[in-house]
């Protein structure tokens, strides 16, 4: 079910990593946060509690698979998970690898900037993104289907 | 397993609504966001991907039960879910009912303030918190155990 005018019904919402019958995983094109991923439910659904239990589990297991891939490839200090959707109320999860030297740490990425990001360290992380895409695909393929 | 110096090992983290073998649910004492709840895993665990599949499911089903209770009692415009933990890396979920007239909407609660909250509307929402506590307890009791 598509909702006319919904940004996530009408566009991918990032660089596509994988897509299946229920959801897609994209990498967000945010130069300050290499590896920032989103898991986007395909149907235009508003809240997690609007999904059935099997759908909830499928979506969350995919979010955790992306988290595992980010930890394996990028070794972040912390992974931040969030489903907000105040602006775009189409169910999607932000999966954000965080580093002590990133521009906002330890604030949320939506909070006040703490420092400038180092260009060299960002470049080094960007060089890992091809590997991350492969690892996400592997981890998501291993998700136990409910 | 308790971690000395961890804020969520050493204190409740809010006004206790319920507690079981694995987790607790608290209401956060934030005057601008009545109904803001947290679901806190009891053990000092860092990331969702550090839990087993059954533990992940138990925790997320509790988060969604809290969301259902907030929707039933408060009828928010949107529910925001987030597990961040950059400052306190002890697994906990923020479950935040959001309203078009709240101080930060549609920004995340960690983002820039958009307006002052109306005192009357906050008071009206606070009057629903006893009912919310009961509803959360009911919804969490109905969670299917994995």
């Amino acid at each position: 079910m598509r909702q006319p005018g919904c940004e996530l019904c009408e566009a991918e919402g990032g660089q596509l990593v994988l897509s299946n019958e229920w959801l897609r995983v994209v990498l967000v094109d945010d130069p300050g946060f290499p590896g920032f991923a989103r898991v986007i439910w395909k149907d235009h659904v508003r809240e997690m509690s609007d999904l059935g239990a099997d759908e909830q589990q499928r979506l969350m297991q995919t979010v955790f698979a992306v988290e595992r891939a980010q930890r394996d490839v990028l070794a972040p200090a912390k992974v931040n998970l969030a489903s907000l959707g105040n602006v775009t109320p189409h169910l999607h999860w932000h999966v954000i690898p965080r580093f002590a030297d990133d521009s906002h740490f330890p604030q949320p990425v939506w909070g006040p900037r703490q420092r400038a990001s180092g260009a060299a360290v960002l470049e080094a992380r960007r060089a890992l993104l091809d590997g991350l895409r492969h690892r996400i695909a592997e981890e998501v393929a291993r998700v136990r289907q409910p």
Side-chain angles (χ1 to χ4, degrees), chain A:
Chain A
M1 294 150 300
R2 295 169 82 85
Q3 175 81 15
C6 170
E7 194 182 330
L8 292 178
C9 286
E10 297 189 343
E12 292 288 21
Q15 185 189 35
L16 191 66
V17 176
L18 65 90
S19 174
N20 61 34
E21 193 179 334
W22 306 281
L23 54 81
R24 63 184 182 272
V25 179
V26 304
L27 285 182
V28 176
D29 190 21
D30 184 326
F33 295 97
F36 186 155
R38 288 198 187 107
V39 183
I40 303 165
W41 194 249
K42 283 204 168 166
D43 277 344
H44 186 82
V45 169
R46 191 173 187 85
E47 304 279 12
M48 283 303 297
S49 49
D50 292 327
L51 295 182
D54 284 357
E55 294 173 315
Q56 290 170 343
Q57 198 179 341
R58 191 185 303 279
L59 177 48
M60 296 316 301
Q61 287 298 319
T62 303
V63 169
F64 305 148
V66 172
E67 174 179 299
R68 281 195 300 276
Q70 289 173 337
R71 292 179 74 184
D72 285 354
V73 175
L74 301 171
K78 189 72 189 65
V79 178
N80 290 176
L81 306 177
S83 173
L84 307 176
N86 304 325
V87 175
T88 306
H90 174 136
L91 203 50
H92 61 284
W93 282 88
H94 305 277
V95 188
I96 316 171
R98 301 298 309 276
F99 300 89
D101 59 11
D102 77 37
S103 56
H104 288 61
F105 198 90
Q107 292 294 318
V109 300
W110 307 280
R113 174 181 288 264
Q114 305 295 300
R115 68 191 65 80
S117 298
V121 75
L122 288 176
E123 192 50 42
R125 280 179 203 138
R126 263 181 232 121
L128 299 171
L129 294 185
D130 272 342
L132 177 63
R133 277 186 280 269
H134 288 287
R135 196 86 189 87
I136 287 174
E138 284 173 359
E139 287 290 341
V140 172
R142 288 161 53 189
V143 166
R144 274 197 316 190
Q145 299 306 333

